[in-house]
Amino acid sequence: MKLFAILFAALSLGASGAGAFYLAQIGADEIEAQTGGAVRNALSAAGQDWVTVQADGMTVTLSGTSPSEAAKFRALDVAEAVVPQSRIATTITLADAEVAVPEVLNLDILLAPDLVTLLGNTPQMLDDQIAELLGMFSRRVVDLTRPVETEPQADWEQTLTLLGSIAPQIATGRVMVTDGGIAIEAALADAELRQSLVAEIEAATPQGQQIDLSLSAPRMTLSPYPFDLSVSDGTFRLSTCAASTQSAARTIARQIAAATGLNDLECEVALGAPDDNWPQTVQIATELLTDLPDAALSIRDRVVQLSLESSAIDDRVDGLVARADARLPEGYSLLMNRVQAEEEPSPLVAAAPRGLTMTIAPGRISAVGAVTGEAGVETMQSYAETAFPGRSLTLDLIASDPGAAPSLADALALLDVMNTLDTGTIRIGEATIRITGTGEGPGLATRIEGALTSRLTGTRDLEIDIEEYEPVEVTEVEALPDVMKSPAECSAEITAAQQEDRILFAPSSASLDASSAGPLDEIARILATCPTVQVSIEGYTDSSGGEDMNRRISQLRADAVLDALLSRGVFLDRMSATGYGEASPIADNDTAEGREANRRIEFELSSSEPDVDPAADAPTQEEEDE
């Protein structure tokens, strides 16, 4: 019996061990399947279906060909969210396309009568030939190209030789070169020059390069770019129409015909359109005119001006104008010109800006005004993006004729000066260039004057008013109450500044007049000395027009002043802007002088510190007794 019991016990232990091993094996397989499935599901949900998942015991192996380095790291991040990093192995490889992506070769040459601008990526091995190309032009050349190490597939050396021969013969146009083709757009002086250039290009085009020619007789440049349409007793009359291309001219003609019934119209194809939104702006303005009584419409560059009798303006007209203004493309503005009943409505031609104002504030750069030539506008944009990386750029520039606006050379020289200032404004007028602001000195003003003397063109007087400072290592912060001004002191200074030089707007518009830059600079300087003061910007209008329109315009004007102060470094968290329309007049609206006085911006200043009641802090009698 004893032997039998021993055998029975041994058999029982063996059976139970085998069963336990079997159950453990089933459990391990189940864990592997669950782990692998969980990782696969997570990768699939993350869009990483290219990964193959293999679970082996406690280890999860990821394999496959990743489309990019970023995709590989994304897959690892997803897997590590399911299982620990120590349990993940990888044999992932990268696709060959990710190993090296050469930079695209391209050369863009912008040709204007007084300027040549080169943009794009050029083969580094041909730096010397690029330099030779720059010397071929008898005009000022701005080289914004970037040499790259990409191996050219086409014969760029022969291409540059061809460009050095033909480009100097083109006064106005554009040449675009890629690694597989050359496109030339040019306005030529006459048919003889065109025939000569075509023959030269066809004979010298490198083998394998596709050539695309668009050579035409020169188009005139219109500045400001015009459109004039009027309606009287239901009869429409188109006085002036311009378009940048034949296609745009046909589009505008169809729009006018559909809205007014006028047919067989011709728009003059000319250079100078402010941007590609010109046809859309013409359509919106034309549709507005069809809903109004006798009126005249004039567009000059980005300014749409509507002229109609004051007696015809009511809430319906205000609403139509407001909706049209809201539909205009970004950068365009709508002004309403009220004329007396005895006057015949006529378009008011908005004169093109002749000056240029540039402002620098922490993190922001702006430039508003005119510069010579369309190529000048493009070059200013490219140069500003390169010279001020990481800063917010606001460039509202239009092209103008040589002599009617600052030259590109002057504008670029003054952009370089902006880089030496912490904050400041540069204004280029007809007779003067005035530079104000702050910067690290000493001797900054002298250095700026010396640099500009050799670079500026023309005979404008140079005025420099720079507040220079030396960097000081601050070891102890001064108590703010010793240097801060009270709200009353700040308010008095701002009132005095406004009495000397008012903030002005274009009629019926929220666009700041160029003359407002000076008072805004001064107000920003004053507010910088009042860091704890809360500022409320209040806009008011006269009583002309409807209340809703006046309130809207006053709000937009107050917002414009707030934005202008923001660009000058005044903090938003202590400013607010409110438009009150024609409320609270300070003069008689029945006179021109009174209406002008009522169109104003006021500043209401208060302390940001909470009011403290001295009696509340005084100890009570019971506290004193204790």
Side-chain angles (χ1 to χ4, degrees):
M1 288 295 295
K2 185 175 182 181
L3 178 60
F4 177 77
I6 292 172
L7 290 173
F8 181 78
L11 289 171
S12 298
L13 287 173
S16 62
F21 176 80
Y22 174 73
L23 291 175
Q25 183 64 43
I26 293 176
D29 291 344
E30 183 65 24
I31 291 173
E32 281 184 7
Q34 290 179 355
T35 301
V39 174
R40 289 189 196 94
N41 291 338
L43 288 167
S44 178
Q48 306 297 319
D49 294 319
W50 56 269
V51 184
T52 299
V53 180
Q54 180 66 43
D56 183 8
M58 300 298 289
T59 301
V60 175
T61 302
L62 307 181
S63 59
T65 301
S66 173
S68 67
E69 188 76 29
K72 173 184 176 181
F73 287 118
R74 173 64 176 152
L76 290 173
D77 287 341
V78 172
E80 289 171 8
V82 180
V83 298
Q85 182 182 13
S86 59
R87 291 173 50 196
I88 296 176
T90 177
T91 59
I92 293 174
T93 58
L94 288 176
D96 292 339
E98 184 69 12
V99 174
V101 179
E103 296 188 77
V104 176
L105 293 175
N106 64 297
L107 174 61
D108 198 348
I109 305 176
L110 305 175
L111 298 151
D114 60 341
L115 176 73
V116 177
T117 305
L118 279 72
L119 307 164
N121 298 330
T122 56
Q124 191 171 41
M125 66 183 69
L126 298 177
D127 275 358
D128 292 342
Q129 199 163 352
I130 291 289
E132 291 178 10
L133 175 63
L134 301 180
M136 295 287 186
F137 298 95
S138 58
R139 293 161 269 178
R140 172 173 165 76
V141 178
V142 176
D143 180 17
L144 300 178
T145 59
R146 187 168 67 94
V148 297
E149 296 181 355
T150 302
E151 184 76 21
Q153 301 302 308
D155 190 344
W156 273 70
E157 188 172 356
Q158 187 178 346
T159 297
L160 292 175
T161 300
L162 172 62
L163 296 183
S165 173
I166 64 172
Q169 302 180 59
I170 300 174
T172 303
R174 186 176 187 181
V175 179
M176 293 159 284
V177 183
T178 64
D179 214 13
I182 305 172
I184 303 176
E185 301 173 356
L188 305 177
D190 50 51
E192 184 179 349
L193 176 58
R194 183 185 187 282
Q195 184 177 358
S196 171
L197 281 180
V198 169
E200 186 174 353
I201 292 168
E202 290 178 349
T205 299
Q207 187 175 2
Q209 282 276 49
Q210 296 296 319
I211 191 77
D212 181 11
L213 297 180
S214 179
L215 305 178
S216 62
R219 289 179 288 164
M220 71 168 60
T221 298
L222 297 178
S223 181
Y225 212 64
F227 178 82
D228 294 304
L229 180 67
S230 61
V231 59
S232 178
D233 295 329
T235 301
F236 289 89
R237 180 174 179 271
L238 180 66
S239 304
T240 310
C241 181
S244 58
T245 64
Q246 289 290 353
S247 175
R250 289 191 292 268
T251 298
I252 291 173
R254 287 196 300 268
Q255 293 167 353
I256 298 174
T260 68
L262 295 176
N263 294 301
D264 300 326
L265 301 177
E266 291 187 5
C267 277
E268 185 170 18
V269 177
L271 302 173
D275 55 34
D276 293 338
N277 293 320
W278 177 259
Q280 181 187 355
T281 302
V282 170
Q283 179 180 7
I284 294 171
T286 302
E287 291 173 355
L288 170 63
L289 199 64
T290 61
D291 290 327
L292 295 174
D294 293 358
L297 183 71
S298 173
I299 310 178
R300 292 297 183 272
D301 292 322
R302 291 185 174 90
V303 178
V304 180
Q305 178 117 1
L306 177 69
S307 299
L308 67 168
E309 292 184 5
S310 299
S311 59
I313 300 175
D314 53 22
D315 290 341
R316 185 188 75 89
V317 172
D318 284 342
L320 290 172
V321 172
R323 284 192 291 274
D325 190 16
R327 290 176 59 202
L328 288 176
E330 184 177 358
Y332 288 80
S333 59
L334 174 60
L335 311 181
M336 186 160 58
N337 178 38
R338 298 169 173 84
V339 297
Q340 300 302 319
E342 63 272 17
E343 297 178 1
E344 181 181 353
S346 60
L348 177 63
V349 178
R354 298 303 182 199
L356 177 64
T357 299
M358 297 185 285
T359 303
I360 182 170
R364 299 182 183 89
I365 298 291
S366 69
V368 180
V371 68
T372 299
E374 284 290 350
V377 174
E378 294 185 20
T379 302
M380 283 283 287
Q381 177 76 38
S382 301
Y383 193 82
E385 291 173 354
T386 303
F388 302 98
R391 303 204 192 193
S392 172
L393 292 177
T394 302
L395 302 181
D396 187 7
L397 302 172
I398 69 168
S400 191
D401 294 330
S407 69
L408 178 61
D410 287 357
L412 293 177
L414 291 167
L415 264 182
D416 288 339
V417 169
M418 296 279 283
N419 245 334
T420 67
L421 302 176
D422 295 334
T423 61
T425 300
I426 299 177
R427 287 192 291 275
I428 312 175
E430 293 185 10
T432 61
I433 296 176
R434 178 166 175 75
I435 303 174
T436 60
T438 63
E440 184 176 327
L444 177 59
T446 303
R447 294 198 302 273
I448 291 174
E449 182 177 8
L452 292 180
T453 299
S454 59
R455 293 186 62 183
L456 292 179
T457 62
T459 58
R460 291 183 178 91
D461 293 332
L462 183 61
E463 300 177 3
I464 302 177
D465 184 10
I466 300 295
E467 183 179 339
E468 302 174 354
Y469 66 88
E470 294 187 13
V472 178
E473 183 178 353
V474 179
T475 57
E476 183 177 350
V477 179
E478 294 186 40
L480 286 178
D482 293 336
V483 297
M484 292 189 300
K485 295 177 183 176
S486 68
E489 291 173 318
C490 295
S491 181
E493 290 188 21
I494 290 177
T495 299
Q498 288 239 79
Q499 288 174 347
E500 182 177 344
D501 203 356
R502 290 184 62 191
I503 297 174
L504 300 176
F505 297 85
S508 302
S509 168
S511 298
L512 283 161
D513 189 87
S515 64
S516 298
L520 286 168
D521 288 344
E522 179 63 15
I523 291 170
R525 185 195 64 78
I526 295 170
L527 290 177
T529 66
C530 315
T532 64
V533 170
Q534 293 288 335
V535 183
S536 175
I537 303 169
E538 301 175 352
Y540 296 92
T541 68
D542 59 29
S543 60
S544 302
E547 288 188 18
D548 291 341
M549 176 62 72
N550 286 337
R551 189 175 297 108
R552 178 175 175 273
I553 289 178
S554 65
Q555 181 65 57
L556 292 174
R557 288 178 173 177
D559 289 339
V561 172
L562 186 146
D563 291 341
L565 291 175
L566 282 177
S567 71
R568 289 161 169 80
V570 182
F571 295 119
L572 175 64
D573 59 0
R574 62 187 181 104
M575 288 197 298
S576 62
T578 307
Y580 293 99
E582 59 193 64
S584 305
I586 60 174
D588 187 355
N589 274 313
D590 292 333
T591 66
E593 294 79 5
R595 289 191 293 273
E596 182 180 0
N598 288 331
R599 296 191 295 268
R600 68 196 189 277
I601 292 290
E602 292 186 355
F603 293 82
E604 190 70 29
L605 277 63
S606 61
S607 174
S608 61
E609 300 296 331
D611 294 333
V612 178
D613 183 1
D617 291 337
T620 63
Q621 185 63 45
E622 293 179 357
E623 290 172 336
E624 289 183 351
D625 293 341
E626 292 178 0

